[in-house]
Amino acid sequence: MSHSGDTGAGTITTKVPARLDRLPWSRWHWMIVIGLGTVWILDGLEVTIVGNIASRLSEDGSGLPISPAQVTGLAAALYVAGACSGALFFGWLTDRYGRKKLFMITLVVYLAATAATALSFSVWWFFLFRFLTGFGIGGEYAAINSAIDELIPSKYRGRVDLIINGSYWLGAMGGALLSVLALNTDIFPKDLGWRLTFALGVVLGLVILLVRRHVPESPRWMFIHGRPDGADELVAGVEREVEAETGRKLPEPRTSITIEQRRSVGFVEIARTLFRQYPRRAFLGFALFVGQAFLYNAITFGFGSILVTFFDVSSGSTGYFFAAIALGNFLGPLALGRLFDTVGRRVMISGTYIVSGLLLFLTAWFFGNGWLNATTMTVCWGVILFFASAGASSAYLTVSEVFPMETRAMAIAFFYAIGTAAGGISGPLLFAELTSSGVVSDAVIAFCVGASLMVLAGLVAVFLAVAAEGKSLEDIAAPLSVREEKAGRTDTDTADATAV
């Protein structure tokens, strides 16, 4: 590696990306997956618990003078607003100050806010710390997706990213079952059970914090931001560890990259990169995020009320049904993730979106004709979400790998904010009345809207998805600071970008 020093800007040539991508799977990679990936479990736990404990929080004796509509309406909207603003704020800081600093800070923000929520003594306090919990979680999405993609070898990147994003549903499943236990007044008093569910989130977060201390900074971020020696030492240490573990010498890295080091990228340059240099990729990201956001709201936003309203399920039992569809959501990325690296991104992204949309149309038809009961409806949803969850996770994978390194965290944050706002704000506004009206045809309309947007997003992916499987991040989108003209893009995307 040639460079002009570890602290100042200059031109360097490095093999760090190729060295990381040629590594076989090892204990070091498992440490990254566990340290970074487990936060999605917390997010799933958070969202599900709040939805399921709404009825208990609003009862007399809960210790909080709040209505069910305030818990599932205003508090949920504030959590979403916090997640959107946290993603954008921390996403910008992640690209500027590094992945490690920010994935530690965002987890601390989440921990402090969740602990404060458990101690809520008034409605304004509960609302404030729901917003701040979302603020931390949104920041996690940007900091962690960028770190995972930059540390995981290219041939495993698709499946690892999908499974990690899909682990949200492990948390959702745990949250659904935990809320059944926590709301049992034979075990916990009314004013204690809901507080303990939040306290559990804090305990899990502290465990994750301990593991995450060992996850390193992204060497890709380091060599661009004036720390090439640190990047080199870090990768050399991992190489020694992997060689000792496998008992085999690693092959020589085949490619190098020459870049102009820089400290930061401004918002104007980020916007220009996303919308002028890569407009087709930006449109793809928008379509994928909005499609999955509306499908999930069409199915899950009114999940409890649909079971109660149309199938006479008791409100205390909806947690068991939710756990069943959460399992389908987790199994999808787990079973299909590998195919995104082997069959390829375009086929799998478009396929999972279109199949889940068509299955939702079919379910809407069955439901409209009165052919379903609570169990068969849940089975239908579980099957739809098996495919939809893999598709939704691939939306995160897509926006985290198809834009230049310097803009990665901000790109993830931007599309996450769009998808979350569409799903968490527009979705409930559109679907709440439709799914809670008690009129079958209204719920059918809600399902068909979600299904239509999912199919449309799948069709966009047929034409615009990037064949990123097995490719180095630098070949999918050359860093803005790269010195070579070749800028390593795939053939399908050369029309999407101007020369670097």
Side-chain angles (χ1 to χ4, degrees):
M1 183 196 303
S2 61
H3 57 85
S4 61
D6 208 30
T7 53
T11 303
I12 66 157
T13 298
T14 179
K15 292 186 175 182
V16 160
R19 289 165 68 189
L20 286 168
D21 282 336
R22 85 196 197 291
L23 292 173
W25 193 260
S26 66
R27 284 193 294 266
W28 186 76
H29 296 109
W30 277 119
M31 181 263 294
I32 291 164
V33 168
I34 294 165
L36 297 183
T38 37
V39 76
W40 275 260
I41 297 175
L42 287 180
D43 191 15
L45 193 74
E46 277 286 321
V47 174
T48 312
I49 280 175
V50 173
N52 286 330
I53 66 173
S55 57
R56 178 52 43 84
L57 272 173
S58 60
E59 289 176 7
D60 289 336
S62 72
L64 210 58
I66 195 168
S67 71
Q70 284 180 310
V71 180
T72 56
L74 184 55
L78 284 169
Y79 180 86
V80 167
C84 293
S85 49
L88 293 168
F89 176 71
F90 287 122
W92 179 70
L93 293 177
T94 298
D95 281 334
R96 192 177 180 89
Y97 296 110
R99 292 20 176 162
K100 185 176 176 74
K101 275 194 184 84
L102 271 297
F103 64 60
M104 296 301 283
I105 290 168
T106 52
L107 184 56
V108 169
V109 170
Y110 163 81
L111 284 170
T114 305
T117 305
L119 300 173
S120 293
F121 57 88
S122 70
V123 175
W124 71 263
W125 179 280
F126 183 79
F127 288 156
L128 171 65
F129 287 102
R130 288 313 292 155
F131 175 85
L132 290 174
T133 302
F135 197 70
I137 285 285
E140 288 271 286
Y141 274 79
I144 288 171
N145 265 312
S146 50
I148 288 167
D149 277 13
E150 289 165 13
L151 291 166
I152 297 295
S154 55
K155 66 179 176 181
Y156 303 110
R157 192 173 59 240
R159 72 196 79 176
V160 170
D161 210 302
L162 253 73
I163 291 167
I164 284 175
N165 279 292
S167 68
Y168 171 97
W169 294 100
L170 276 182
M173 198 162 39
L177 296 174
L178 184 68
S179 62
V180 172
L181 176 70
L183 299 185
N184 186 337
T185 50
D186 292 337
I187 303 173
F188 300 112
K190 272 187 185 181
D191 62 346
L192 181 63
W194 66 268
R195 294 181 191 277
L196 290 175
T197 58
F198 287 115
L200 181 69
V202 177
V203 173
L204 290 175
L206 286 169
V207 172
I208 294 168
L209 193 64
L210 292 173
V211 177
R212 195 175 284 182
R213 286 180 312 133
H214 304 292
V215 178
E217 180 56 88
S218 161
R220 284 176 155 104
W221 183 88
M222 291 168 78
F223 71 69
I224 283 179
H225 289 79
R227 294 168 54 192
D229 289 343
D232 198 41
E233 286 166 24
L234 199 160
V235 177
V238 177
E239 287 169 335
R240 286 193 296 273
E241 197 177 311
V242 169
E243 285 181 342
E245 187 181 326
T246 60
R248 289 196 302 274
K249 193 160 176 59
L250 288 165
E252 283 298 311
R254 288 183 292 184
T255 57
S256 61
I257 186 169
T258 301
I259 59 109
E260 199 76 54
Q261 293 176 315
R262 54 166 74 199
R263 288 299 185 198
S264 62
V265 179
F267 278 116
V268 173
E269 190 171 4
I270 290 169
R272 191 166 57 233
T273 302
L274 262 61
F275 299 108
R276 282 182 52 190
Q277 195 171 341
Y278 294 103
R280 296 194 305 167
R281 296 181 183 193
F283 183 71
L284 171 69
F286 176 77
L288 294 180
F289 267 88
V290 171
Q292 60 89 22
F294 273 89
L295 174 127
Y296 272 93
N297 274 273
I299 294 179
T300 60
F301 180 76
F303 176 79
S305 66
I306 287 171
L307 290 177
V308 173
T309 305
F310 296 103
F311 302 116
D312 295 323
V313 173
S314 73
S315 57
S317 303
T318 55
Y320 295 113
F321 289 93
F322 193 91
I325 65 165
L327 180 62
N329 269 296
F330 176 65
L331 291 177
L334 192 65
L336 302 175
R338 186 171 170 274
L339 300 177
F340 284 77
D341 286 322
T342 54
V343 174
R345 303 285 202 264
R346 179 170 290 150
V347 171
M348 292 306 298
I349 294 171
S350 58
T352 49
Y353 270 76
I354 291 169
V355 167
S356 55
L358 293 176
L359 286 172
L360 183 52
F361 275 126
L362 189 64
T363 300
W365 182 50
F366 286 171
F367 179 69
N369 283 294
W371 298 339
L372 299 175
N373 58 33
T375 303
T376 53
M377 184 71 152
T378 303
V379 169
C380 286
W381 280 342
V383 174
I384 293 165
L385 296 172
F386 176 87
F387 294 100
S389 181
S393 295
S394 74
Y396 290 95
L397 168 66
T398 298
V399 299
S400 65
E401 69 180 0
V402 301
F403 296 107
M405 198 209 90
E406 298 89 335
T407 66
R408 181 162 294 119
M410 200 61 210
I412 296 165
F414 175 75
F415 289 105
Y416 170 74
I418 286 177
T420 305
I425 299 168
S426 318
L429 287 174
L430 177 64
F431 297 126
E433 289 301 317
L434 292 174
T435 54
S436 61
S437 66
V439 179
V440 169
S441 58
D442 285 353
V444 169
I445 291 169
F447 293 170
C448 289
V449 170
S452 300
L453 287 169
M454 203 70 175
V455 171
L456 285 172
L459 292 173
V460 170
V462 169
F463 297 101
L464 299 185
V466 179
E469 60 277 1
K471 290 188 173 74
S472 166
L473 293 171
E474 290 72 22
D475 286 337
I476 300 165
L480 299 178
S481 39
V482 77
R483 287 294 299 268
E484 290 101 345
E485 276 295 308
K486 63 185 175 76
R489 291 188 192 92
T490 57
D491 292 338
T492 53
D493 292 293
T494 47
D496 192 11
T498 55
V500 172

